[in-house]
Amino acid sequence: MCAVLMNLARTDANQQQIAGEGGIGAVVAAMAGHAQSAAVQEQGCGALRNLAANNADNKNAVRTLRAASHPTYPPHARSTSPGWRVCAAPNAQSP
């Protein structure tokens, strides 16, 4: 699911529709439920990054939902990509 949303969230229209249908919460829940799966973490982070790209409302929703869920992500799921900051640290500033 996360990989599909990651690909779909590359357009503004899809970002809005996915967020409106609860997609951000679904990705956060999947990541929290599969905290030990590197694949789910990477794809989920990609989906959240794409959903938040150039969309302040979605970026705030990602930060809020991630902060509320308090998931713990394993070190192998971390990335050095700029988008990871939105994914890993809900209150971090993204470039």
Side-chain angles (χ1 to χ4, degrees), residues 2-65:
C2 291
V4 171
L5 289 178
M6 177 175 57
N7 289 325
L8 289 174
R10 291 182 179 176
T11 68
D12 293 341
N14 284 350
Q15 286 176 349
Q16 292 176 346
Q17 184 170 358
I18 291 166
E21 299 286 335
I24 294 172
V27 171
V28 170
M31 293 175 76
H34 301 279
Q36 297 304 314
S37 170
V40 172
Q41 300 308 306
E42 291 169 9
Q43 293 168 3
C45 188
L48 294 177
R49 179 189 63 236
N50 287 350
L51 284 163
N54 301 315
N55 188 312
D57 290 337
N58 284 359
K59 187 178 291 187
N60 288 333
V62 168
R63 289 179 177 148
T64 299
L65 289 170

